[in-house]
Amino acid sequence: MIYIKNEEQIELMRKSALLVSHTLAEVAKILKPGMTTLYVDNVIDGFIKDHQGIPSFKGYGPVTNPYPFASCISVNDVVVHGFPNKKELKEGDIISIDIGIILNKWHGDHAYTFAIGEPSKEVQQLIKITKESLYKGIEKALENNRIGDIAYAIQEHTEKKHGYGVVRELVGHGLGKNLHEDPQVPNYGKRGSGTKLKTGMVLAIEPMINLGTKDVFTEMDGWTVKTKDGKVSVHFEHDVCVKKGKADVLSDYSIIEEAEINNPELFFCN
Ligand code: MF3
Ligand code: CO
């Protein structure tokens, strides 16, 4: 069942999404080689709570194996759902940080991939193209288009045009009072297929794009998803409200990018 949000609800969701953006911008100010991802997660957890939010990932999932941290921090060949840990970041690492927050009962959920130091040209290009593909998907999040139009746009730009691997096992999703709502938003598919989009649908669009093949596996912890070939993977995610004419992006990369550009330890791939 798809829940359509009214304008008042959209404004509340914008606040939730923007708190995620501000949290990611805080992280972008401090990321540097030698820092552990566990430390980063602690900063994230503290920032969310200081701003009256609840970290929605913590405790999410099966009761037998709930997700244990405030953020997913996925380094290099980790695609998504990486556990923050005590390993130090080093020059050339790429790091996807995915954060979910409940604020005033509404969810925000988005992600950004940073490069510590200077990654290879090949990896710089992967980051740039994956971010571009997210915006190409967002351009299709219009009333009376279909989910397949978003999916096709992302797959076209990444897989068909650049030969990257588009992860099939994980997809974007509706977002609202729940972290995961209908409809699913795959990053691959046919134009004109799937659910018809309506004004007021809020979608978390999140391309997960591998430098090598599309194949992934989940580690023994039940969460960490990695590429099978050990090559790097990039993940960007925005919260988007479907509209007529132009989609409304509720989250905001500009504040994250500003912090990224001003942090000499990070490499801005645009
Ligand atoms: N952005 C991811 C998603 O929407 C993050 C979920 S992590 C989890 O699926 F821990 F909450 F599962
Ligand atoms: Co998501």
Side-chain angles (χ1 to χ4, degrees):
M1 152 123 195
I2 297 175
Y3 300 103
I4 301 291
K5 284 84 185 178
N6 64 32
E7 272 175 41
E8 192 185 330
Q9 294 170 330
I10 295 298
E11 291 320 307
L12 288 169
M13 288 197 72
R14 193 188 311 282
K15 290 206 171 93
S16 306
L18 285 177
L19 183 53
V20 178
S21 309
H22 280 286
T23 311
L24 285 166
E26 276 310 296
V27 170
K29 289 180 194 163
I30 59 158
L31 276 178
K32 61 175 183 189
M35 188 173 272
T36 72
T37 55
L38 196 58
Y39 175 80
V40 175
D41 185 70
N42 271 308
V43 171
I44 290 168
D45 197 42
F47 189 86
I48 294 171
K49 288 171 181 162
D50 284 349
H51 292 80
Q52 288 70 51
I54 301 165
S56 60
F57 294 173
K58 207 180 269 189
Y60 185 83
V63 276
T64 48
N65 187 26
Y67 190 79
F69 300 97
S71 62
C72 299
I73 305 192
S74 305
V75 179
N76 297 335
D77 63 330
V78 179
V79 179
V80 285
H81 304 167
F83 282 5
N85 59 39
K86 289 183 177 160
K87 217 175 138 196
E88 291 180 359
L89 292 167
K90 57 181 194 315
E91 296 240 352
D93 281 346
I94 61 167
I95 163 176
S96 137
I97 304 183
D98 190 353
I99 300 173
I101 298 179
I102 305 167
L103 183 68
N104 302 315
K105 302 204 170 109
W106 293 93
H107 283 259
D109 165 28
H110 82 103
Y112 195 92
T113 296
F114 299 97
I116 313 280
E118 191 172 341
S120 69
K121 281 273 169 335
E122 192 177 46
V123 173
Q124 289 176 32
Q125 175 85 347
L126 175 67
I127 292 174
K128 175 174 180 276
I129 298 300
T130 303
K131 196 196 273 186
E132 280 175 12
S133 79
L134 171 56
Y135 286 103
K136 292 199 180 279
I138 290 170
E139 277 174 25
K140 303 292 177 192
L142 303 177
E143 167 126 329
N144 293 326
N145 273 359
R146 289 178 185 267
I147 287 290
D149 295 312
I150 299 173
Y152 178 87
I154 294 170
Q155 186 179 18
E156 183 69 19
H157 195 59
T158 54
E159 197 172 88
K160 302 218 179 71
K161 220 167 145 193
H162 289 91
Y164 298 143
V166 175
V167 175
R168 304 297 202 267
E169 288 83 348
L170 298 138
V171 295
H173 50 93
L175 184 73
K177 284 206 167 156
N178 306 291
L179 175 59
H180 294 138
E181 296 184 357
D182 289 337
Q184 292 198 343
V185 187
N187 299 303
Y188 58 94
K190 285 196 173 70
R191 262 185 294 193
S193 72
T195 302
K196 198 182 256 193
L197 303 179
K198 294 274 162 263
T199 292
M201 280 185 189
V202 178
L203 306 174
I205 305 178
E206 48 181 320
M208 289 154 267
I209 308 297
N210 300 344
L211 184 59
T213 70
K214 63 182 182 343
D215 301 324
V216 300
F217 69 98
T218 304
E219 284 209 320
M220 286 302 293
D221 60 23
W223 283 101
T224 310
V225 178
K226 284 183 156 181
T227 59
K228 272 198 184 154
D229 60 11
K231 294 190 179 174
V232 301
S233 184
V234 169
H235 176 217
F236 284 97
E237 179 177 18
H238 260 315
D239 301 338
V240 179
C241 181
V242 173
K243 288 265 161 77
K244 284 187 188 124
K246 193 174 194 298
D248 184 1
V249 185
L250 305 179
S251 38
D252 182 5
Y253 277 175
S254 71
I255 52 179
I256 302 167
E257 286 168 346
E258 189 187 299
E260 186 184 27
I261 289 162
N262 287 313
N263 181 343
E265 309 287 355
L266 298 178
F267 194 90
F268 181 60
C269 305
N270 251 41

